[in-house]
Amino acid sequence: MTAGTNGPSREQKYDRQLRLWQAHGQKALENTSILVVHANATATETLKNLVLPGIGSFTLVDGKVVDGADAGSNFFLEGSDIGRSRAQAAAALLAELNPDVRARAVVADVEKALTVSPELVTQHNIVVASSLPQHILLPLAKLCAAENIPLIVVRAYGFVGHLRIQAVEHCIVESHPDTINDLRLDCPFPELLAYANSFDFHALDNMTYAHIPYVVILLRCLEEWKSKNNGALPTTSPEKTAFRQMVTSLKREGVEDENFEEALKGVFRALQPTKIDSKVASILEEARTKPITAETNNFWILAKAVAEFVDSENGKLPLAGVVPDMKSDTESFVKLQTIFRDKAHKDVAKVHAIASNLSVGATGPSLEETARFCKNARNLVLIRTSTIESEYAEPYAGTMADMPENNVQYYLALRGVDAFYEEHKRYPGYHAEEVESDIGLLKKSCTAVVTKMGLKNVAVSDDIIHEMVRAGASELHTMASFMGGVCSQEAIKLITGQYTVLNNTFVYDGMRSVGAAHTF
Amino acid sequence: MTSFPLPDRNRDAALALGPDKWRSAVAKKLLMVGAGGIGCELLKDLVMAGFADIEIIDLDTIDVSNLNRQFLFQKQHVKKSKAHVAKESALRFNPNVNIVSHHNSIFEDQYDVAWFKSFDLVLNALDNIPARRHVNMMCRAANRPLIESGTAGYLGQVSVHLKHTQCFDCEPKPTPKTFPVCTIRSTPSTPIHCIVWSKSYLFNLLFGKDEDESAMSSSADDDAQEIADLKREAEELRNIKNNSQSPDFAKLVFEKIFTRDIERLLTMSEMWSSREPPKPLDFKKLHSEMKKMKPLPTGVDRNMKVWSLVENFHVFTESIKPLAQRLNEGQAKDSEFSMSFDKDDDEALDFVTAVTNLRAHMYGIELQSRFKVKEMAGNIIPAISTTNAIIAGLMVLQAFKILNNQYDDCKNTFLVHGGQRTQLICGEVPPAPAKECGTCQAGYFTLTVDTAQFTLSDLVDSVLTKDLGVDGEITINESGRMIYDPDFDDNGPETFENLKITDGKRILVLVDNDEDESKNHSINFFVIHKAGVTPYELDGDKKIPPRHKAKAPEAKRLLDDEVEVSNKKSKGDGETVEVLDDDVIIL
Ligand SMILES: [Zn+2]
């Protein structure tokens, strides 16, 4: 019961994060094995943030040996590591952070390792690659896309941060909207309506009257309105005003009216017809025609089951079963909660039965998973990022006008740096004596990138070219740590399937403290 | 680990920033307040950036639940000082930096204005509002820049507080939530009411100093008779507490709080005319049911599953024993010994969970898992390493700007969820100070006097009136006690020493001028005692900004369609999240 004798339990150690992503999120994390390409500072900082919360295992691939600059910019390499394998030295220090995590170092030239043994990639669930030259990155990205393994490309270059997520298909059940609103006041289910009708407003004493839940007040008013208006809800502005007056007219003289004020505040929401959001509808549409095979993941099985449920339930999704806090006496509130919960349970049972029938071979989604899916059905998110291959296709079909000018320039400058590397087999400004000559060369590379992409009215300014050359491929630890934080944060969202991940590019201008996102 | 310093250890940092800017920045002396989640990241980032002169202060010791993110700490460090261990761990990675650690409270008098002045920049990585406000005030007094930080789950923020920008106090902070006494004591209706009762009332009465009233507020609405009854009930419980060595202690407490007190409450029929009355519990009945009970689940389930009534009864009787024993053992050594609720104390949490649920059961309130009770009782905000890493990185980026005097380039930065808000990181120029802020729109002075000689009249006549030229009605406070106002000048001839205004104390002077608002001022004096000083030495900026009266809060508007829509729109990029580091204690 108490800590100490057998060391801290995982539960104690992970207490805080369990409150964020719950036990099923932790399980997903512990079942994940990640491949990290390059043991530079950005990559090791990323790994640190995944090892601490207990990712299942990691493989770190790097063929280089530690030099002085590595030890200076990488917290997970020490002076005494100079001359050792970067992958081994960093993996050892990272493994020390958490004995629950299995660590593996692959000491090999990255390009060779990836071409010779693609299973190095495919035996992992997620890949993080930092500062990979283009000719290695593109085949890796292609492989990940083909295998539907999420890939995060991350880099800290001087004061610039860049992150790109490639997830061919990422399904999010728990997108965590600010609130879940599913009260069905416009189309109450029979149990809810019966409960609302059980209140005899005239007979209630003042105290009870002040505690009628606002949901009941609105339901009764809506029923009355509908009976006078051929079943239609108030839609126009004058109708809404008249409806509000109807609610107000029920206030009792001299009786506390907090519940009526809540009802008036709730009118706007109550009059929004319960319908399926177009994004969710298109997910269900896709699920309807999707054949279920042994490989189909539970998201699609459940989506298909919910689609069938919707068809059999007059176009209504399973009830979320959540009642917001409101002015009420405990008894009525608990009763209301029970009515919503019971109906939600019924809906879950139906969906679960359909899903079990749909599942091929294996047992299919558990009741718990089904319940989670139903509760979040109105907030499902499906992300299909473009491929990195298409980002490099020429010309680029879109614009980048949604990003601040400087961030666009930094993105292009990084592309220019990569093109420079492909041509000269070194990074601009890496050797102090070549700084001056590299400025002109990088400028040429950047211009070539802009031209090939076919971007109009964009050029990388001389200031930014100078800045990039001056940075000399340096990895500022602060930026590496920051970008490692961003990268691991997105990795956790991808792994747990909770919260919406970035789609798909993030560029941070550390000089001006301006971040920007763009969808390629 | 011995070959430092590497010739090119900071090559990358110097390259990226430019060698001159880098050198001038890292030569500065920094104070880091807090060595928790953000603090560990921050210290690592600072040391790696090349900063070599850092002081850390933290009052806390290391807990197991810190280990999932506070990576400078390991299992063997549990219960040790965060500040000391953080220093040791950072030195392992770079022994050539000078780190001074203080395992102490930042509120201590020794951390005075002069001490704050010895730093070029202060970085807050704190978990509570009072400490953050205190550091903010000291930074204003010492005229030092401050970088503030906070995280909650995936959200976080970094703000920069300079002389010409908002201070931490400019934006009003949410006041701690309190509940009416009668709701907590007689008519709970939600789980949190039961939790407050268990941890703030019962736990403190039985094992602590006494009832913790901070979470409860009395109001005129509360029935005077009821309050008197509640006082008597508490007195009875104190008597039972004296029997804590009795083998029947659990039964005595149980029958008092779950049977007799509830039966008394039921006699107040008025109270239950519109409420479902509670149902008292029966010790004997539960005790016999307990004998047939299956063993309580272990491991994760024990924490996550909601216990049944009899299981709660079982945990109640099991946890009260060791708590009582600890109290008795403690008091045997020190008669003043007492315990306070600690969410990380397993037995205390078991007790509070069981009591919460037994009480909830009587009132027909939903029972809670131990995991959930811990979260609510401990006001836990989830903390993870990813967010801390992002926030600490952003702090150091701002630090470089401040230390190179690039004040116009500073930004307040916010980490948002993604999803609808795709930017992840949003920045804004630090806003101008709020005119009515009592902290930054104020004068700050150090006043060196011989406290045995210097009188309150000397302060009023010589310092305030002659030297600073204030013109208006003067009110003087020290540590919340009023020692002088226009209608109370009896203390005038008294020396500081007699008034207990000693070395290290802070005096707050308010000047009110009805005719000319620009002559209203808040003036702080930090007193330094030096024997023989005549008459006084005053150090500080004599140009004191006027203190504007706080604006009346805007009338609450009813939400209508239009407002609802516009509210949604405003939830855009600049949205601020007021969040704190790690475990937060507000209720
Ligand atoms: Zn202020």
Side-chain angles (χ1 to χ4, degrees):
Chain A
M1 207 167 77
T2 39
T5 43
N6 300 318
S9 74
R10 283 141 93 96
E11 214 184 328
Q12 284 174 305
K13 189 165 71 176
Y14 298 143
D15 182 275
R16 297 302 183 269
Q17 69 206 39
L18 283 170
R19 295 172 196 282
L20 189 59
W21 53 64
Q22 277 91 47
H24 60 278
Q26 184 66 25
K27 199 173 154 203
L29 187 65
E30 289 175 11
N31 287 336
T32 297
S33 104
I34 189 170
L35 173 71
V36 177
V37 183
H38 273 164
N40 62 11
T42 310
T44 54
E45 290 289 334
T46 302
L47 257 182
K48 172 193 107 243
N49 300 327
L50 296 171
V51 168
L52 285 166
I55 196 166
S57 66
F58 72 83
T59 306
L60 190 54
V61 197
D62 198 309
K64 293 195 187 123
V65 292
V66 180
D67 65 19
D70 285 330
S73 68
N74 195 329
F75 188 73
F76 295 96
L77 295 173
E78 302 178 337
S80 57
D81 293 325
I82 291 176
R84 282 182 72 194
S85 144
R86 276 215 307 195
Q88 273 181 324
L93 274 181
L94 284 162
E96 269 182 33
L97 294 175
N98 190 343
D100 298 342
V101 177
R102 290 187 308 283
R104 183 162 74 119
V106 173
V107 185
D109 175 70
V110 167
E111 186 177 13
K112 218 181 271 169
L114 295 178
T115 33
V116 173
S117 44
E119 63 277 11
L120 181 63
V121 175
T122 54
Q123 64 198 198
H124 295 89
N125 323 97
I126 181 168
V127 178
V128 167
S130 184
S131 309
L132 271 193
Q134 207 171 307
H135 70 277
I136 309 176
L137 174 65
L138 289 178
L140 172 66
K142 215 171 155 181
L143 176 61
C144 288
E147 299 285 333
N148 194 19
I149 297 170
L151 166 70
I152 311 182
V153 178
V154 63
R155 166 142 82 174
Y157 198 100
F159 270 96
V160 189
H162 171 251
L163 180 118
R164 166 67 148 100
I165 294 176
Q166 174 187 281
V168 173
E169 181 180 290
H170 177 59
C171 311
I172 305 162
V173 176
E174 295 161 277
S175 60
H176 285 269
D178 293 338
T179 52
I180 292 183
N181 200 289
D182 191 25
L183 288 174
R184 308 271 166 111
L185 299 184
D186 60 319
C187 53
F189 45 96
E191 298 88 339
L192 177 59
L193 193 58
Y195 177 63
N197 285 333
S198 72
F199 283 74
D200 183 354
F201 277 32
H202 295 291
L204 298 178
D205 62 45
N206 283 350
M207 187 63 105
T208 319
Y209 203 76
H211 288 87
I212 306 171
Y214 88 82
V215 165
V216 171
I217 296 171
L218 281 182
L219 277 170
R220 289 288 288 271
C221 290
L222 281 167
E223 287 310 302
E224 191 180 332
W225 179 277
K226 281 198 250 179
S227 72
K228 288 179 180 160
N229 293 277
N230 301 321
L233 291 170
T235 49
T236 66
S237 193
E239 281 173 354
K240 286 178 184 175
T241 309
F243 181 74
R244 282 208 172 81
Q245 276 162 1
M246 182 184 210
V247 175
T248 310
S249 72
L250 288 177
K251 284 188 185 182
R252 225 182 244 181
E253 193 73 29
V255 175
E256 218 186 288
D257 60 0
E258 206 181 320
N259 51 343
F260 280 89
E261 290 303 321
E262 284 183 350
L264 288 167
K265 275 186 208 168
V267 166
F268 177 75
R269 277 258 164 76
L271 297 183
Q272 304 286 312
T274 299
K275 60 167 193 250
I276 303 178
D277 168 84
S278 63
K279 282 185 190 138
V280 175
S282 71
I283 294 173
L284 299 185
E285 202 44 53
E286 186 176 338
R288 271 195 187 92
T289 54
K290 212 179 185 76
I292 304 287
T293 68
E295 272 75 51
T296 311
N297 65 22
N298 285 349
F299 180 90
W300 286 112
I301 296 173
L302 285 166
K304 196 173 176 110
V306 165
E308 282 183 25
F309 175 92
V310 168
D311 294 341
S312 69
E313 293 276 327
N314 248 332
K316 299 284 182 298
L317 286 167
L319 187 74
V322 180
V323 184
D325 213 6
M326 66 187 75
K327 175 84 179 173
S328 164
D329 56 288
T330 313
E331 200 187 351
S332 309
F333 187 67
V334 170
K335 180 81 187 148
L336 208 51
Q337 275 184 320
T338 311
I339 288 169
F340 274 85
R341 205 180 305 140
D342 287 352
K343 165 77 167 114
H345 282 167
K346 267 193 220 162
D347 290 358
V348 169
K350 270 192 196 170
V351 172
H352 189 242
I354 304 172
S356 305
N357 270 335
L358 286 173
S359 304
V360 180
T363 45
S366 68
L367 192 62
E368 189 197 342
E369 192 178 356
T370 309
R372 208 152 48 226
F373 194 93
C374 291
K375 185 177 172 185
N376 292 288
R378 63 216 29 73
N379 302 106
L380 299 175
V381 176
L382 180 63
I383 288 182
R384 288 182 172 132
T385 72
S386 64
T387 60
I388 292 178
E389 195 181 11
S390 74
E391 181 179 336
Y392 281 76
E394 294 154 357
Y396 173 57
T399 76
M400 298 183 74
D402 55 343
M403 287 214 280
E405 173 73 25
N406 280 311
N407 296 57
V408 174
Q409 290 200 35
Y410 279 121
Y411 170 79
L412 295 169
L414 285 175
R415 289 280 299 263
V417 162
D418 284 339
F420 182 107
Y421 185 89
E422 294 302 325
E423 195 179 337
H424 307 286
K425 298 296 163 217
R426 62 181 173 81
Y427 284 105
Y430 191 74
H431 304 292
E433 64 280 7
E434 284 162 346
V435 166
E436 282 311 311
S437 53
D438 280 357
I439 287 174
L441 293 176
L442 179 60
K443 199 173 169 135
K444 244 165 123 188
S445 303
C446 290
T447 310
V449 167
V450 173
T451 312
K452 279 185 192 161
M453 285 181 79
L455 293 175
K456 302 272 177 314
N457 309 320
V458 183
V460 183
S461 73
D462 286 352
D463 281 354
I464 284 183
I465 301 265
H466 281 255
E467 201 185 309
M468 298 305 271
V469 175
R470 207 170 50 230
S474 64
E475 215 181 3
L476 182 66
H477 176 270
T478 307
M479 282 300 293
S481 180
F482 164 70
M483 287 307 293
V486 175
C487 180
S488 49
Q489 184 111 297
E490 295 307 302
I492 285 176
K493 291 181 194 167
L494 282 166
I495 291 165
T496 57
Q498 299 176 20
Y499 292 90
T500 309
V501 295
L502 172 84
N503 185 5
N504 49 33
T505 296
F506 174 70
V507 179
Y508 195 71
D509 170 358
M511 280 289 184
R512 293 162 197 82
S513 308
V514 177
H518 179 69
T519 305
F520 275 103
Chain B
M1 243 173 303
T2 48
S3 52
F4 289 114
L6 299 163
D8 47 2
R9 160 161 206 110
N10 298 114
R11 168 191 171 269
D12 282 7
L15 269 181
L17 202 64
D20 296 340
K21 277 189 181 170
W22 177 76
R23 259 192 296 273
S24 85
V26 299
K28 305 281 172 59
K29 187 175 177 186
L30 310 182
L31 169 64
M32 244 183 73
V33 190
I38 297 175
C40 280
E41 289 285 344
L42 185 59
L43 185 61
K44 173 203 70 182
D45 288 358
L46 291 172
V47 169
M48 293 302 289
F51 287 94
D53 200 357
I54 304 167
E55 294 200 20
I56 328 166
I57 176 165
D58 195 313
L59 178 64
D60 239 2
T61 53
I62 296 159
D63 181 75
V64 175
S65 63
N66 300 146
L67 302 181
N68 77 328
R69 59 195 185 283
Q70 302 178 10
F71 62 92
L72 296 176
F73 312 143
Q74 291 177 340
K75 214 169 59 195
Q76 67 271 23
H77 298 132
V78 168
K79 298 220 159 40
K80 291 187 176 156
S81 151
K82 284 189 175 178
H84 295 333
V85 176
K87 170 192 158 171
E88 298 301 319
S89 299
L91 285 179
R92 241 188 84 190
F93 293 94
N94 187 355
N96 296 309
V97 295
N98 174 36
I99 303 176
V100 176
S101 56
H102 307 262
H103 180 206
N104 208 342
S105 161
I106 191 68
F107 286 97
E108 291 294 315
D109 286 347
Q110 68 195 86
Y111 307 118
D112 57 8
V113 177
W115 187 73
F116 272 86
K117 275 195 172 143
S118 72
F119 302 99
D120 296 293
L121 171 65
V122 180
L123 300 131
N124 263 358
L126 278 163
D127 63 357
N128 68 88
I129 300 257
R132 297 163 103 195
R133 293 191 57 189
H134 177 75
V135 175
N136 175 60
M137 196 259 300
M138 294 305 284
C139 284
R140 289 287 148 169
N143 191 21
R144 287 297 176 265
L146 168 68
I147 301 181
E148 251 296 341
S149 65
T151 73
Y154 289 124
L155 305 175
Q157 65 180 28
V158 174
S159 56
V160 171
H161 304 284
L162 307 167
K163 192 165 185 183
H164 64 280
T165 70
Q166 270 195 355
C167 82
F168 181 73
D169 277 349
C170 279
E171 280 193 18
K173 301 292 170 285
T175 45
K177 184 149 179 56
T178 61
F179 301 95
V181 174
C182 286
T183 303
I184 298 301
R185 296 285 299 275
S186 309
T187 55
S189 58
T190 63
I192 188 68
H193 295 154
C194 300
I195 290 174
V196 169
W197 188 84
S198 309
K199 76 157 195 172
S200 302
Y201 169 74
L202 186 67
F203 189 92
N204 275 300
L205 265 187
L206 288 179
F207 309 114
K209 282 210 160 42
D210 211 321
E211 183 176 354
D212 172 9
E213 282 172 349
S214 63
M216 292 178 248
S217 60
S218 323
S219 75
D221 292 348
D222 292 326
D223 185 330
Q225 176 61 42
E226 175 61 7
I227 297 281
D229 282 345
L230 293 175
K231 284 223 168 87
R232 207 188 55 235
E233 271 184 11
E235 197 47 49
E236 287 169 20
L237 203 55
R238 279 185 204 103
N239 291 334
I240 291 182
K241 182 183 175 181
N242 297 333
N243 288 317
S244 61
Q245 278 159 315
S246 150
D248 280 342
F249 185 54
K251 183 163 183 271
L252 288 171
V253 173
F254 187 97
E255 292 189 328
K256 157 95 180 107
I257 60 175
F258 295 121
T259 313
R260 288 204 308 281
D261 287 353
I262 301 302
E263 282 165 352
R264 184 195 65 79
L265 268 181
L266 289 175
T267 62
M268 310 187 65
S269 46
E270 178 66 8
M271 198 177 266
W272 313 112
S273 60
S274 68
R275 286 190 188 96
E276 188 71 8
K279 298 179 188 68
L281 298 174
D282 184 338
F283 185 91
K284 275 188 200 133
K285 189 164 159 274
L286 284 167
H287 195 263
S288 68
E289 279 177 35
M290 189 175 76
K291 286 178 185 151
K292 290 172 278 174
M293 188 187 104
K294 279 194 218 130
L296 205 62
T298 53
V300 178
D301 281 353
R302 188 175 190 278
N303 226 6
M304 296 292 185
K305 291 239 158 75
V306 177
W307 302 332
S308 67
L309 178 65
V310 66
E311 284 171 339
N312 277 295
F313 176 81
H314 167 75
V315 175
F316 171 82
T317 54
E318 286 299 304
S319 58
I320 199 170
K321 273 182 235 161
L323 287 169
Q325 195 184 344
R326 271 156 60 187
L327 181 71
N328 289 323
E329 283 169 8
Q331 288 185 337
K333 288 186 202 126
D334 170 9
S335 61
E336 291 292 293
F337 176 86
S338 69
M339 298 190 279
S340 57
F341 173 71
D342 171 4
K343 64 185 185 309
D344 295 313
D345 175 338
D346 277 323
E347 280 150 359
L349 182 60
D350 273 351
F351 177 79
V352 165
T353 304
V355 169
T356 295
N357 282 333
L358 291 167
R359 186 165 173 83
H361 179 88
M362 296 191 302
Y363 282 91
I365 298 167
E366 197 177 359
L367 309 198
Q368 302 291 322
S369 69
R370 185 180 187 270
F371 185 78
K372 197 75 201 169
V373 170
K374 180 173 183 177
E375 185 165 315
M376 291 163 88
N379 293 289
I380 296 173
I381 290 180
I384 48 172
S385 55
T386 56
T387 312
N388 290 337
I390 296 171
I391 292 307
L394 291 171
M395 289 174 85
V396 179
L397 289 175
Q398 296 306 317
F400 278 128
K401 294 195 194 344
I402 293 176
L403 295 172
N404 277 306
N405 306 321
Q406 293 167 280
Y407 299 128
D408 292 343
D409 296 336
C410 289
K411 290 271 173 61
N412 288 344
T413 12
F414 305 92
L415 169 63
V416 295
H417 269 291
Q420 295 303 312
R421 287 164 250 154
T422 54
Q423 297 303 87
L424 289 184
I425 309 278
C426 309
E428 64 166 35
V429 175
K435 285 204 170 90
E436 62 280 0
C437 178
T439 307
C440 60
Q441 302 307 302
Y444 288 94
F445 297 92
T446 44
L447 177 66
T448 309
V449 294
D450 184 337
T451 52
Q453 305 290 327
F454 197 76
T455 65
L456 200 58
S457 295
D458 291 336
L459 175 70
V460 174
D461 300 337
S462 308
V463 179
L464 288 168
T465 312
K466 277 212 198 90
D467 203 343
L468 296 176
V470 307
D471 174 14
E473 294 191 339
I474 291 172
T475 311
I476 303 177
N477 291 281
E478 187 274 317
S479 304
R481 66 188 171 114
M482 204 270 288
I483 47 183
Y484 183 96
D485 81 1
D487 303 322
F488 174 71
D489 56 6
D490 304 16
N491 286 332
E494 298 290 342
T495 63
F496 271 23
E497 196 177 85
N498 286 343
L499 292 167
K500 298 200 174 67
I501 305 171
T502 49
D503 190 68
K505 292 278 189 278
R506 178 171 65 105
I507 306 170
L508 174 62
V509 176
L510 298 179
V511 183
D512 279 297
N513 186 313
D514 287 344
E515 270 119 54
D516 185 352
E517 223 199 21
S518 71
K519 290 179 176 170
N520 289 341
H521 296 292
S522 299
I523 309 170
N524 296 274
F525 295 96
F526 294 85
V527 175
I528 295 175
H529 168 71
K530 206 164 161 191
V533 172
T534 51
Y536 65 87
E537 289 160 11
L538 188 67
D539 182 22
D541 186 352
K542 292 187 183 175
K543 232 176 74 202
I544 306 168
R547 172 176 53 95
H548 291 252
K549 291 264 156 58
K551 271 177 279 173
E554 276 177 46
K556 212 170 149 189
R557 270 177 70 189
L558 192 65
L559 276 184
D560 55 23
D561 295 10
E562 287 70 33
V563 176
E564 175 99 20
V565 171
S566 69
N567 266 359
K568 267 202 182 126
K569 276 188 196 142
S570 72
K571 268 200 167 175
D573 291 343
E575 189 190 28
T576 61
V577 278
E578 183 50 51
V579 288
L580 308 163
D581 179 30
D582 284 356
D583 312 339
V584 174
I585 309 128
I586 315 167
L587 196 65

